[in-house]
Amino acid sequence: MLAKADGRVRSSLSPREIEFRPYSPLQLKKILSDRAGVAFSPRACPDEVIALCAAHGAKAGGDARVGLQALWLAGKAAE
């Protein structure tokens, strides 16, 4: 079906490979700290919780989504 499309359409839909590199533990901690600063009241989320969630994301291959989900679940549990 794509082979029959106009050349301009095909060129705009050309597949490209995108590499998502894993985040380091320090990068994860910074990301989670920034998110916690927006999501929680001041002093509601201790640095130890952020560090633990960042470590969880780092163990999962440096995936920020895993760390963010852990932080979200910690917030829900504390609620």
Side-chain angles (χ1 to χ4, degrees):
M1 183 165 133
L2 187 58
K4 294 180 182 181
D6 183 74
R8 294 173 292 181
V9 172
R10 284 194 314 266
S11 70
S12 68
L13 296 175
S14 63
R16 294 184 185 135
E17 189 172 314
I18 299 173
E19 180 182 355
F20 292 99
R21 295 185 182 147
Y23 289 106
S24 72
L26 289 176
Q27 289 173 318
L28 287 170
K29 190 172 179 184
K30 171 76 169 112
I31 291 167
L32 296 178
S33 180
D34 290 347
R35 293 289 182 99
V38 173
F40 300 116
S41 299
R43 298 181 311 276
C45 187
D47 289 337
E48 294 83 11
V49 172
I50 293 170
L52 187 60
C53 292
H56 184 62
K59 282 186 178 181
D63 192 341
R65 294 171 297 177
V66 172
L68 288 168
Q69 183 171 8
L71 184 62
W72 180 75
L73 289 172
K76 289 295 283 181
E79 187 179 48

